[in-house]
Amino acid sequence: MMPNHRTTILSTLAFFLLAVSIWSVHADIPVHCLYEDYQGIWTYYLGPGGNTNSIDCNQPFNIVKQFTFTLDVPDVANDDNHNKGFWTRIYDEGVELVINNQKFFAFSYYELSSDGFTATSYCEKTFPGWYHNIDGSNWGCFVAQKNNASNSIISDGSEQAYFPSTPIRAELQSSLDDNSPFLHTEAIAKQINNRQNLWKATVYPQFVSRTIAEMQRYGGGKLAKDTKLALLDHQGSGKARTYKIRTEDLPESFDWRNINGVNYVSPVRDQGACGSCFSFATMAMAEARMRIATNNHNQMILAPQTILSCSHYSQGCNGGFGYLVGKFGEDYEIASESCFPYQQNDTISCNVMCNDPSQYIKMTDYYWVGGFYGACSEDLMKKEIYENGPIGVSFEVYSDFYYYQSGVYTHVNTLMGINKWEIVNHEVLAVGWGVDYSNGSEIPYWIVKNSWSDSWGENGYFRIMRGTDECAIETMGVAITPVF
């Protein structure tokens, strides 16, 4: 069942006095939490169960029970009754916990400064989130707090709770409000081409008159400061999936667009100046995996607008994560493009046009490649792609990437026409890999489907250096299984 409207992530509790003020979010949510912030002993405070997935955690609820969970290295969770479960970070923004037949998900807490320009992360607490049984029944709301938190959620000796008033969807004015022009010129393209010979740069007319704010949305929104720390602060062997094939048995090149002459990848699309790349990439993954599972008989095109308009796990045109698109697809459902056409706009109400059940799919078994966030690697990406289909990947978009025309991309620093620019997070679809011998050396690469139309790059695709974690491309792979 689709939610009736987009619910905000912020909710109020009868014991949690919150003055709600909802603004528009820019660049996901402005919180930055690392692995060690989450590891430890937590108390989860639960509201009443017995609800459906249409529950609105924007409404007050009473705390009816609480549980203590230990989040341990690298992805192991335990409770006081010796039940074991699984937990993972959602980048640097929150945690999903799966234990004792229940799933819990909430975003980490933060507070904005009075001027709206900066945010302070309080990683030992969460905003109100959602819990439900594994089978999707029996929903409720909860909040959680680490046991050594400096400010307690529940005040000792009081029936009222301390929980500061801050919106979860908040505008950081410095993030995407820069309307100065983005420099996209022939001179910069020439400089890029003069400084390396692995790939060719060109100027795209659709980028010439854009502002920096618009170009950041093409890339999915601005990441928080210290992105590298967020990505790399924890690595480990993890809860890796079992693959049938050994890495050494994988072919030198592989491409789901050409398996014995058959293409299993859906057409390239154009997200426009809306930071919806995460939704496009995940829909493209599900489309490809449906084609693979049905030998191309099911070629449904799915609706990224479903996520922009309906998901309370994402931030619409201002960003999100493929992992949480998969979670939404399991908890609710995804419409076809014909039912819910894309409009580059996240203010469109969640009002899907079809009553035909065949025009919807579910998603399940959503997971980080490697088993948990931080365990991804080149070899695990190749195995996942080969055995199960294309995967969503994220990487850092620099201003030179918008010039990409062909070849194997590596980031090039330009010396002239410097853009006032910040790193962004862009999610795309890895469909295969190969090796380029054209420059007299072996250059391994990934084959990646973008969502900037088929007039960009290599018919909408690009190749990027493989095996070196170029622009963090091998850090954050995600996969889902479509149910149709």
Side-chain angles (χ1 to χ4, degrees), residues 45-114:
Y45 301 93
L46 277 61
N51 303 286
T52 68
N53 62 359
S54 62
I55 187 173
D56 183 0
C57 289
N58 226 10
Q59 302 302 314
F61 61 87
N62 294 323
I63 297 170
V64 298
K65 54 186 172 181
Q66 64 186 63
F67 295 99
T68 300
F69 299 112
T70 301
L71 309 185
D72 210 346
V73 176
D75 61 349
V76 177
N78 296 278
D79 66 15
D80 289 343
N81 295 319
H82 307 292
N83 295 305
K84 286 190 175 182
F86 163 77
W87 73 280
T88 184
R89 291 165 50 196
I90 311 303
Y91 191 57
D92 62 348
E93 297 190 0
V95 162
E96 183 174 56
L97 167 66
V98 184
I99 191 168
N100 196 24
N101 196 41
Q102 288 193 315
K103 287 189 175 185
F104 300 83
F105 169 69
F107 287 99
S108 298
Y109 187 75
Y110 69 89
E111 289 183 357
L112 284 178
S113 62
S114 59

Side-chain angles (χ1 to χ4, degrees), residues 198-200 204 255 257 268 271 277 281 391 393-397 400-411 426-434 445-454 456-466 470-473:
L198 290 180
W199 60 280
K200 183 178 180 181
Y204 290 95
D255 186 349
R257 297 173 302 172
V268 173
Q271 70 182 71
C277 56
I391 62 173
V393 290
S394 297
F395 70 108
E396 296 175 0
V397 174
D400 66 321
F401 182 73
Y402 291 94
Y403 289 85
Y404 175 87
Q405 183 178 30
S406 62
V408 179
Y409 173 79
T410 57
H411 172 48
H426 188 43
E427 191 159 350
V428 286
L429 187 73
V431 304
W433 66 86
Y445 60 80
W446 296 108
I447 306 166
V448 188
K449 178 185 180 183
N450 204 351
S451 51
W452 295 348
S453 86
D454 58 9
W456 179 91
E458 297 180 331
N459 298 315
Y461 287 78
F462 65 98
R463 289 175 289 158
I464 185 171
M465 187 85 74
R466 172 171 56 89
E470 178 69 37
C471 298
I473 193 75

